[in-house]
Amino acid sequence: MDRLPSHPVAVLSLDLDSFESAPHTHPQAQLIYAISGVVTVTTDEGTWVVPPNRAVWMPAGVEHNAKSHRAVQFRTLLIDQADLALPDVCRVVEVTPLLRELILRLAVLEETPEGEDFRASLTHLLRLELSFLPVEPLSLPAPRHAGLARFCERVRMDLAHTVSLEDAAEALYMSRSSFMRLFQRETGLSFAHWLKQARLLEALSLLAEGRPVLDVALTCGYESPSAFSAMFQRSLGRSPSAYFAGRKDYRHRHR
């Protein structure tokens, strides 16, 4: 997957029952776009979750791995960044309707040698359309402090367990105030905000698998579906049941 594309934009298509890559890099920038299912992308800086109709922007040369827990359709754009003023950090980005259609059409053209002029025109339009609009908070920063990183990983492995600020500080043999300062410095978030983000991202993956809202709520540490749904609505503007509703299967749309 690290081949140099012969065009300024190349599209790789993956429609799989499940997916997990080893850590790797690309010499090109990358846009990982989810059509259906949820893709999780991890780097040394943190984790990004890509629900349908969102994408993760990955600058060239950043080591990362990607995975899904269940069936997923996604398209990866390998983009020559020459002459493009694009971000040099990872982020979840909005995929506009036009950008979505350009990605899907170029994915089909990858399989046909004809129509080079048409492909060149689409590629030019896609490069013009690339934009990075603010989207929902779908990332989770990773601390570099070794002890804090291990603690955060343990928390993520058992989100149903409630961890108080006092418990967190004690786990790292720190005072409450020292832990708060360290956590804010390492992640840019308070512990409470980080924990909410961790639960939200896990919930998205579980909902994409078709898990019932009650099951997701309890797994992610909420006492009731109503409490979980209220958090989800505040964070993403839609209820859990509505978030994945009406997603389309684009595999054969342009064939």
Side-chain angles (χ1 to χ4, degrees), residues 11-94:
V11 186
L12 305 177
S13 300
L14 287 172
D15 298 340
L16 301 168
D17 292 333
S18 63
F19 172 79
E20 184 167 5
S21 72
H24 63 285
T25 63
H26 297 276
Q28 309 86 24
Q30 193 176 8
L31 190 70
I32 303 169
Y33 166 59
I35 297 173
S36 66
V38 170
V39 180
T40 301
V41 180
T42 301
T43 75
D44 287 342
E45 298 296 326
T47 298
W48 288 260
V49 170
V50 195
N53 292 323
R54 297 293 184 267
V56 164
W57 171 254
M58 183 73 55
V62 176
E63 185 174 84
H64 62 283
N65 70 285
K67 68 178 181 179
S68 73
H69 296 289
R70 290 290 181 91
V72 65
Q73 291 176 269
F74 67 97
R75 304 293 178 259
T76 294
L77 276 65
L78 300 175
I79 302 170
D80 181 356
Q81 285 187 256
D83 303 321
L84 292 176
L86 296 173
D88 59 0
V89 294
C90 300
R91 61 179 62 179
V92 175
V93 300
E94 182 81 41

Coordinates of all heavy atoms in Angstrom, one line a residue, residues 11-94:
V11 N -6.5 6.0 -5.6 CA -7.5 5.5 -4.7 C -7.4 4.0 -4.5 O -7.4 3.3 -5.5 CB -9.0 5.9 -5.2 CG1 -10.0 5.5 -4.2 CG2 -9.1 7.3 -5.6
L12 N -7.3 3.6 -3.3 CA -7.3 2.2 -2.9 C -8.7 1.9 -2.3 O -9.1 2.6 -1.4 CB -6.2 1.9 -1.9 CG -4.8 2.3 -2.3 CD1 -3.8 2.0 -1.2 CD2 -4.4 1.6 -3.6
S13 N -9.3 0.8 -2.8 CA -10.6 0.4 -2.3 C -10.5 -0.9 -1.4 O -9.9 -1.8 -1.8 CB -11.6 0.1 -3.5 OG -11.7 1.3 -4.3
L14 N -11.2 -0.8 -0.2 CA -11.2 -2.0 0.6 C -12.6 -2.2 1.1 O -13.2 -1.3 1.8 CB -10.2 -1.8 1.8 CG -8.7 -1.9 1.5 CD1 -7.9 -1.5 2.7 CD2 -8.4 -3.3 1.1
D15 N -13.2 -3.4 0.8 CA -14.5 -3.8 1.3 C -14.3 -5.2 1.9 O -14.1 -6.2 1.3 CB -15.5 -3.9 0.1 CG -15.7 -2.6 -0.6 OD1 -15.5 -1.6 0.0 OD2 -16.2 -2.7 -1.7
L16 N -14.2 -5.2 3.3 CA -13.8 -6.4 4.0 C -14.7 -6.7 5.2 O -15.4 -5.8 5.7 CB -12.4 -6.2 4.5 CG -11.3 -5.9 3.5 CD1 -10.0 -5.4 4.2 CD2 -11.0 -7.1 2.6
D17 N -14.7 -8.0 5.6 CA -15.5 -8.4 6.8 C -14.9 -7.8 8.0 O -15.6 -7.5 9.0 CB -15.6 -9.9 6.9 CG -16.4 -10.5 5.7 OD1 -17.3 -9.8 5.2 OD2 -16.2 -11.6 5.4
S18 N -13.6 -7.7 8.0 CA -12.8 -7.0 9.1 C -11.5 -6.7 8.6 O -11.1 -7.2 7.5 CB -12.7 -7.9 10.4 OG -11.9 -9.1 10.1
F19 N -10.8 -5.8 9.3 CA -9.5 -5.3 8.7 C -8.6 -4.8 9.8 O -9.1 -4.2 10.8 CB -9.8 -4.1 7.8 CG -8.6 -3.4 7.3 CD1 -7.8 -3.9 6.3 CD2 -8.2 -2.2 7.9 CE1 -6.7 -3.2 5.8 CE2 -7.1 -1.5 7.5 CZ -6.3 -2.0 6.4
E20 N -7.3 -5.1 9.7 CA -6.3 -4.6 10.6 C -5.0 -4.6 9.9 O -4.5 -5.6 9.4 CB -6.2 -5.4 11.9 CG -5.2 -4.8 12.9 CD -5.4 -5.4 14.3 OE1 -6.1 -6.3 14.5 OE2 -4.7 -4.8 15.2
S21 N -4.3 -3.4 9.9 CA -3.0 -3.3 9.2 C -1.9 -3.2 10.3 O -2.2 -2.8 11.4 CB -3.0 -2.0 8.4 OG -2.9 -0.9 9.2
A22 N -0.7 -3.6 9.9 CA 0.4 -3.4 10.8 C 0.8 -2.0 10.7 O 0.5 -1.3 9.8 CB 1.6 -4.3 10.3
P23 N 1.6 -1.5 11.7 CA 2.0 -0.1 11.6 C 2.8 0.1 10.3 O 3.7 -0.7 9.9 CB 2.9 0.1 12.8 CG 2.4 -0.9 13.8 CD 1.9 -2.1 12.9
H24 N 2.6 1.2 9.6 CA 3.2 1.5 8.3 C 3.2 3.0 8.0 O 2.5 3.7 8.7 CB 2.6 0.7 7.2 CG 1.1 1.1 7.0 ND1 0.1 0.7 7.8 CD2 0.6 1.9 6.0 CE1 -1.0 1.2 7.4 NE2 -0.8 1.9 6.3
T25 N 3.9 3.4 7.0 CA 3.9 4.8 6.5 C 3.7 4.8 5.0 O 3.8 3.8 4.4 CB 5.2 5.5 6.9 OG1 6.3 4.9 6.1 CG2 5.5 5.5 8.3
H26 N 3.3 6.0 4.5 CA 3.2 6.2 3.1 C 4.0 7.5 2.7 O 4.1 8.4 3.5 CB 1.7 6.5 2.7 CG 0.8 5.4 3.0 ND1 0.7 4.3 2.1 CD2 0.0 5.1 4.0 CE1 -0.2 3.4 2.6 NE2 -0.6 3.9 3.7
P27 N 4.6 7.4 1.5 CA 5.4 8.6 1.1 C 4.4 9.7 0.7 O 4.9 10.9 0.5 CB 6.2 8.1 -0.1 CG 5.5 6.9 -0.6 CD 4.9 6.3 0.6
Q28 N 3.2 9.4 0.5 CA 2.2 10.4 0.1 C 1.3 10.7 1.3 O 1.2 9.9 2.3 CB 1.2 9.9 -1.0 CG 1.9 9.3 -2.2 CD 2.3 7.9 -2.1 OE1 1.7 7.1 -1.3 NE2 3.3 7.4 -2.8
A29 N 0.6 11.8 1.3 CA -0.4 12.1 2.2 C -1.6 11.1 2.0 O -1.7 10.6 0.9 CB -0.9 13.6 2.1
Q30 N -2.4 11.0 3.0 CA -3.5 10.0 2.9 C -4.8 10.5 3.4 O -4.8 11.2 4.4 CB -3.1 8.7 3.6 CG -3.9 7.5 3.4 CD -3.3 6.3 4.2 OE1 -2.4 6.5 5.0 NE2 -3.8 5.1 3.9
L31 N -5.9 10.2 2.7 CA -7.2 10.5 3.2 C -8.0 9.2 3.3 O -8.2 8.6 2.3 CB -7.9 11.5 2.3 CG -9.3 12.1 2.8 CD1 -9.0 13.1 4.0 CD2 -10.0 12.8 1.7
I32 N -8.3 8.8 4.5 CA -9.0 7.6 4.8 C -10.5 7.8 5.0 O -10.9 8.4 6.0 CB -8.4 6.8 6.0 CG1 -6.9 6.6 5.8 CG2 -9.1 5.5 6.2 CD1 -6.2 6.2 7.0
Y33 N -11.3 7.4 4.0 CA -12.7 7.8 4.0 C -13.6 6.6 4.2 O -13.4 5.5 3.5 CB -13.0 8.4 2.6 CG -14.5 8.5 2.3 CD1 -15.4 9.2 3.2 CD2 -15.1 7.9 1.2 CE1 -16.7 9.3 2.9 CE2 -16.4 8.0 0.9 CZ -17.2 8.7 1.8 OH -18.6 8.8 1.5
A34 N -14.5 6.6 5.2 CA -15.4 5.5 5.5 C -16.7 5.7 4.7 O -17.3 6.7 4.9 CB -15.6 5.4 7.0
I35 N -17.0 4.6 4.0 CA -18.3 4.6 3.3 C -19.4 3.9 4.3 O -20.4 4.5 4.5 CB -18.3 3.8 2.0 CG1 -17.3 4.5 1.0 CG2 -19.7 3.7 1.4 CD1 -17.1 3.7 -0.3
S36 N -19.0 2.8 4.8 CA -19.8 2.2 5.8 C -18.9 1.5 6.8 O -17.8 1.1 6.5 CB -20.8 1.1 5.2 OG -20.0 0.1 4.6
G37 N -19.4 1.2 8.0 CA -18.6 0.7 9.1 C -17.8 1.8 9.7 O -17.9 3.0 9.4
V38 N -16.9 1.5 10.7 CA -16.1 2.4 11.4 C -14.7 2.0 11.3 O -14.4 0.8 11.6 CB -16.6 2.6 12.8 CG1 -15.5 3.4 13.6 CG2 -17.9 3.2 12.9
V39 N -13.8 2.9 10.9 CA -12.3 2.6 10.9 C -11.7 3.4 12.0 O -12.0 4.5 12.2 CB -11.7 3.1 9.5 CG1 -10.2 2.8 9.5 CG2 -12.4 2.4 8.4
T40 N -10.8 2.7 12.7 CA -10.0 3.3 13.8 C -8.6 3.4 13.3 O -8.0 2.5 12.9 CB -10.1 2.5 15.1 OG1 -11.4 2.4 15.5 CG2 -9.3 3.2 16.2
V41 N -8.0 4.7 13.4 CA -6.7 4.9 13.0 C -5.9 5.4 14.2 O -6.3 6.3 14.9 CB -6.6 6.0 11.9 CG1 -5.2 6.3 11.4 CG2 -7.5 5.6 10.7
T42 N -4.7 4.8 14.4 CA -3.9 5.1 15.6 C -2.5 5.4 15.2 O -1.9 4.8 14.3 CB -3.8 3.8 16.5 OG1 -5.2 3.5 16.9 CG2 -3.0 4.2 17.8
T43 N -2.0 6.5 15.8 CA -0.6 6.9 15.6 C 0.0 7.1 17.0 O -0.7 6.9 18.0 CB -0.4 8.2 14.9 OG1 -0.8 9.3 15.7 CG2 -1.3 8.3 13.6
D44 N 1.3 7.5 17.1 CA 1.9 7.8 18.4 C 1.2 9.0 19.1 O 1.3 9.1 20.3 CB 3.4 8.1 18.2 CG 4.2 6.9 17.9 OD1 3.7 5.8 18.2 OD2 5.3 7.1 17.4
E45 N 0.5 9.8 18.3 CA -0.1 11.0 18.9 C -1.5 10.7 19.5 O -2.0 11.5 20.2 CB -0.3 12.1 17.8 CG 1.1 12.6 17.3 CD 1.9 13.3 18.3 OE1 1.3 13.9 19.2 OE2 3.1 13.1 18.3
G46 N -2.2 9.6 19.0 CA -3.5 9.3 19.5 C -4.3 8.4 18.6 O -3.7 7.8 17.7
T47 N -5.6 8.4 18.8 CA -6.5 7.6 18.0 C -7.6 8.5 17.4 O -8.1 9.4 18.0 CB -7.2 6.6 19.0 OG1 -6.2 5.7 19.5 CG2 -8.2 5.7 18.2
W48 N -7.9 8.1 16.1 CA -9.0 8.8 15.4 C -10.0 7.8 14.9 O -9.6 6.7 14.5 CB -8.4 9.6 14.2 CG -7.6 10.8 14.6 CD1 -8.0 12.1 14.5 CD2 -6.2 10.8 15.0 NE1 -7.0 12.9 15.0 CE2 -5.9 12.2 15.3 CE3 -5.3 9.8 15.2 CZ2 -4.6 12.6 15.7 CZ3 -4.0 10.2 15.7 CH2 -3.7 11.6 15.9
V49 N -11.2 8.1 15.1 CA -12.3 7.2 14.7 C -13.0 7.8 13.5 O -13.4 9.0 13.5 CB -13.3 6.9 15.8 CG1 -14.5 6.2 15.3 CG2 -12.6 6.1 16.9
V50 N -13.2 7.0 12.4 CA -13.8 7.5 11.2 C -15.2 6.8 11.0 O -15.2 5.7 10.5 CB -12.9 7.1 10.0 CG1 -13.4 8.0 8.8 CG2 -11.5 7.4 10.3
P51 N -16.3 7.4 11.4 CA -17.6 6.9 11.1 C -17.9 7.2 9.6 O -17.2 7.9 8.9 CB -18.5 7.6 12.1 CG -17.8 8.9 12.3 CD -16.3 8.7 12.1
P52 N -19.0 6.6 9.1 CA -19.4 6.8 7.7 C -19.5 8.3 7.4 O -20.0 9.1 8.2 CB -20.8 6.2 7.6 CG -20.7 5.1 8.7 CD -19.9 5.6 9.8
N53 N -19.0 8.6 6.2 CA -19.1 10.0 5.6 C -18.2 11.0 6.4 O -18.4 12.2 6.3 CB -20.5 10.5 5.5 CG -21.3 9.7 4.5 OD1 -20.7 9.3 3.4 ND2 -22.5 9.5 4.7
R54 N -17.2 10.5 7.1 CA -16.1 11.3 7.6 C -14.8 10.7 7.1 O -14.8 9.6 6.5 CB -16.1 11.3 9.1 CG -17.3 11.9 9.7 CD -17.4 13.4 9.5 NE -18.6 14.0 10.1 CZ -19.7 14.2 9.5 NH1 -20.0 13.7 8.3 NH2 -20.7 14.7 10.2
A55 N -13.7 11.4 7.3 CA -12.4 10.9 6.9 C -11.3 11.3 7.9 O -11.5 12.3 8.6 CB -12.1 11.4 5.5
V56 N -10.2 10.5 7.9 CA -9.0 11.0 8.6 C -8.0 11.4 7.6 O -7.7 10.8 6.6 CB -8.5 9.8 9.4 CG1 -7.0 10.1 9.9 CG2 -9.3 9.6 10.7
W57 N -7.5 12.6 7.9 CA -6.4 13.2 7.1 C -5.1 12.7 7.7 O -4.8 12.9 8.9 CB -6.4 14.7 7.0 CG -5.2 15.3 6.4 CD1 -4.2 16.0 7.1 CD2 -4.8 15.3 5.0 NE1 -3.2 16.4 6.2 CE2 -3.6 15.9 4.9 CE3 -5.4 14.7 3.9 CZ2 -2.9 16.1 3.7 CZ3 -4.7 14.9 2.7 CH2 -3.5 15.6 2.6
M58 N -4.2 12.1 7.0 CA -2.9 11.6 7.5 C -1.8 12.2 6.6 O -1.6 11.9 5.4 CB -2.9 10.1 7.3 CG -1.6 9.4 7.9 SD -1.6 9.4 9.7 CE -3.1 8.6 10.1
P59 N -1.0 13.1 7.2 CA 0.2 13.6 6.4 C 1.2 12.5 6.0 O 1.2 11.5 6.6 CB 0.8 14.6 7.4 CG -0.2 14.9 8.5 CD -1.0 13.6 8.6
A60 N 1.9 12.8 5.0 CA 2.9 11.9 4.5 C 3.9 11.5 5.6 O 4.3 12.4 6.4 CB 3.6 12.5 3.3
G61 N 4.3 10.3 5.6 CA 5.4 9.8 6.5 C 5.0 9.6 7.9 O 5.9 9.2 8.7
V62 N 3.7 9.7 8.3 CA 3.3 9.4 9.7 C 3.0 7.9 9.8 O 2.2 7.4 9.1 CB 2.1 10.2 10.0 CG1 1.6 9.9 11.4 CG2 2.3 11.7 9.9
E63 N 3.7 7.3 10.8 CA 3.4 5.9 11.0 C 2.1 5.7 11.7 O 1.7 6.4 12.6 CB 4.5 5.3 11.9 CG 4.3 3.8 12.1 CD 5.5 3.1 12.8 OE1 5.5 3.2 14.1 OE2 6.4 2.6 12.1
H64 N 1.3 4.7 11.2 CA 0.0 4.5 11.7 C -0.5 3.1 11.4 O 0.1 2.4 10.6 CB -1.0 5.5 11.1 CG -1.1 5.3 9.6 ND1 -0.2 5.8 8.7 CD2 -2.1 4.7 8.8 CE1 -0.5 5.5 7.5 NE2 -1.7 4.8 7.5
N65 N -1.5 2.7 12.1 CA -2.2 1.5 11.8 C -3.7 1.7 11.7 O -4.2 2.7 12.4 CB -1.9 0.3 12.7 CG -2.5 0.5 14.1 OD1 -2.0 1.3 14.9 ND2 -3.5 -0.2 14.4
A66 N -4.4 0.9 11.0 CA -5.9 1.1 10.9 C -6.6 -0.2 11.1 O -6.0 -1.3 10.7 CB -6.2 1.7 9.5
K67 N -7.8 -0.2 11.7 CA -8.5 -1.4 11.9 C -10.0 -1.2 12.0 O -10.4 -0.1 12.2 CB -8.0 -2.1 13.1 CG -8.4 -1.4 14.4 CD -7.9 -2.2 15.6 CE -8.3 -1.5 16.9 NZ -7.9 -2.3 18.1
S68 N -10.7 -2.2 11.7 CA -12.2 -2.2 12.0 C -12.5 -3.5 12.7 O -11.8 -4.5 12.6 CB -13.0 -2.1 10.7 OG -12.9 -3.4 10.0
H69 N -13.6 -3.5 13.5 CA -14.0 -4.7 14.2 C -14.9 -5.6 13.4 O -15.0 -6.8 13.6 CB -14.6 -4.3 15.6 CG -13.7 -3.6 16.5 ND1 -12.6 -4.3 17.1 CD2 -13.6 -2.3 16.9 CE1 -11.9 -3.4 17.8 NE2 -12.5 -2.2 17.7
R70 N -15.7 -5.0 12.5 CA -16.6 -5.7 11.7 C -16.5 -5.3 10.3 O -15.5 -4.7 9.9 CB -18.1 -5.4 12.2 CG -18.4 -6.0 13.6 CD -18.5 -7.5 13.5 NE -18.8 -8.1 14.8 CZ -20.0 -8.4 15.3 NH1 -21.1 -8.0 14.5 NH2 -20.2 -8.9 16.5
A71 N -17.5 -5.6 9.5 CA -17.5 -5.3 8.0 C -17.3 -3.8 7.8 O -17.9 -3.0 8.6 CB -18.8 -5.8 7.4
V72 N -16.5 -3.5 6.8 CA -16.2 -2.1 6.6 C -16.0 -1.9 5.1 O -15.5 -2.7 4.4 CB -14.9 -1.6 7.4 CG1 -13.7 -2.4 6.9 CG2 -14.7 -0.1 7.3
Q73 N -16.4 -0.7 4.6 CA -16.0 -0.2 3.3 C -15.3 1.1 3.4 O -15.9 2.0 4.0 CB -17.3 0.0 2.4 CG -18.1 -1.2 2.0 CD -19.3 -0.8 1.3 OE1 -20.4 -0.6 1.9 NE2 -19.2 -0.6 0.0
F74 N -14.1 1.2 3.0 CA -13.5 2.5 3.0 C -12.6 2.6 1.8 O -12.1 1.7 1.1 CB -12.7 2.8 4.3 CG -11.5 1.9 4.6 CD1 -10.3 2.4 4.3 CD2 -11.6 0.7 5.2 CE1 -9.1 1.6 4.6 CE2 -10.5 -0.1 5.5 CZ -9.3 0.4 5.2
R75 N -12.3 3.9 1.4 CA -11.5 4.3 0.3 C -10.3 5.1 0.8 O -10.5 6.0 1.6 CB -12.3 5.1 -0.7 CG -13.5 4.4 -1.2 CD -13.2 3.1 -2.1 NE -14.4 2.4 -2.5 CZ -14.8 1.3 -1.9 NH1 -14.2 0.8 -0.8 NH2 -15.9 0.7 -2.4
T76 N -9.1 4.8 0.4 CA -7.9 5.5 0.8 C -7.4 6.3 -0.4 O -7.1 5.7 -1.4 CB -6.9 4.6 1.4 OG1 -7.3 4.0 2.6 CG2 -5.6 5.3 1.7
L77 N -7.3 7.6 -0.2 CA -6.6 8.4 -1.3 C -5.2 8.6 -0.9 O -4.9 9.0 0.2 CB -7.3 9.8 -1.3 CG -8.6 9.9 -2.2 CD1 -9.7 9.0 -1.6 CD2 -9.0 11.3 -2.3
L78 N -4.3 8.3 -1.8 CA -2.9 8.7 -1.7 C -2.7 9.9 -2.5 O -2.9 9.9 -3.8 CB -2.0 7.5 -2.2 CG -2.2 6.2 -1.4 CD1 -1.4 5.1 -2.1 CD2 -1.8 6.3 0.0
I79 N -2.2 11.0 -1.9 CA -2.3 12.3 -2.5 C -0.9 12.9 -2.5 O -0.2 13.0 -1.5 CB -3.2 13.2 -1.7 CG1 -4.6 12.6 -1.7 CG2 -3.2 14.6 -2.3 CD1 -5.6 13.4 -0.7
D80 N -0.5 13.3 -3.7 CA 0.8 14.1 -3.8 C 0.5 15.5 -3.3 O -0.4 16.2 -3.9 CB 1.2 14.1 -5.3 CG 2.5 14.9 -5.6 OD1 3.0 15.5 -4.6 OD2 2.9 14.9 -6.7
Q81 N 1.2 15.9 -2.3 CA 0.9 17.2 -1.6 C 1.5 18.4 -2.3 O 1.4 19.5 -1.9 CB 1.4 17.1 -0.2 CG 0.5 16.3 0.7 CD 1.0 16.5 2.2 OE1 1.6 15.6 2.7 NE2 0.6 17.6 2.8
A82 N 2.3 18.1 -3.4 CA 2.9 19.3 -4.1 C 1.9 20.3 -4.5 O 0.8 20.0 -5.0 CB 3.6 18.7 -5.3
D83 N 2.2 21.6 -4.2 CA 1.4 22.7 -4.5 C 0.1 22.8 -3.8 O -0.8 23.6 -4.1 CB 1.1 22.8 -6.1 CG 2.3 22.8 -6.9 OD1 3.3 23.4 -6.5 OD2 2.3 22.1 -7.9
L84 N -0.1 22.0 -2.7 CA -1.3 22.0 -1.9 C -1.0 22.4 -0.5 O 0.0 21.9 0.1 CB -2.0 20.6 -1.9 CG -2.6 20.1 -3.2 CD1 -3.1 18.7 -3.0 CD2 -3.7 21.0 -3.7
A85 N -1.7 23.4 0.0 CA -1.5 23.8 1.4 C -2.4 23.0 2.3 O -3.6 23.4 2.5 CB -1.8 25.3 1.5
L86 N -1.9 21.9 2.8 CA -2.7 21.0 3.5 C -2.1 20.8 4.9 O -0.9 21.0 5.1 CB -2.8 19.6 2.8 CG -3.5 19.6 1.5 CD1 -3.4 18.3 0.8 CD2 -5.0 20.0 1.6
P87 N -2.9 20.4 5.9 CA -2.5 20.3 7.3 C -1.3 19.3 7.4 O -1.2 18.3 6.7 CB -3.7 19.8 8.1 CG -4.9 20.1 7.2 CD -4.4 20.1 5.8
D88 N -0.4 19.6 8.4 CA 0.7 18.7 8.7 C 0.4 17.8 10.0 O 1.4 17.3 10.5 CB 2.0 19.4 8.8 CG 1.9 20.5 9.9 OD1 0.9 20.6 10.6 OD2 3.0 21.2 10.1
V89 N -0.8 17.8 10.4 CA -1.2 17.0 11.6 C -2.4 16.1 11.2 O -3.2 16.5 10.3 CB -1.5 17.8 12.8 CG1 -0.2 18.5 13.3 CG2 -2.6 18.8 12.5
C90 N -2.6 15.0 11.9 CA -3.8 14.2 11.7 C -5.0 14.9 12.2 O -5.0 15.6 13.2 CB -3.6 12.8 12.4 SG -2.2 11.9 11.8
R91 N -6.1 14.6 11.5 CA -7.4 15.1 12.0 C -8.6 14.4 11.3 O -8.4 13.9 10.2 CB -7.5 16.6 11.8 CG -7.4 17.1 10.4 CD -7.5 18.6 10.2 NE -6.5 19.3 10.9 CZ -6.3 20.6 10.9 NH1 -7.2 21.4 10.3 NH2 -5.3 21.2 11.5
V92 N -9.7 14.4 12.0 CA -10.9 13.9 11.3 C -11.5 15.1 10.6 O -11.6 16.2 11.2 CB -11.9 13.4 12.4 CG1 -13.3 13.0 11.7 CG2 -11.4 12.1 13.1
V93 N -11.9 14.9 9.3 CA -12.4 16.0 8.5 C -13.8 15.7 7.9 O -14.2 14.5 7.8 CB -11.4 16.3 7.4 CG1 -10.1 16.7 8.0 CG2 -11.3 15.1 6.4
E94 N -14.5 16.7 7.6 CA -15.8 16.6 6.9 C -15.5 16.2 5.4 O -14.6 16.7 4.8 CB -16.5 18.0 6.9 CG -17.8 18.0 6.3 CD -18.9 17.4 7.2 OE1 -18.9 17.7 8.4 OE2 -19.7 16.7 6.7

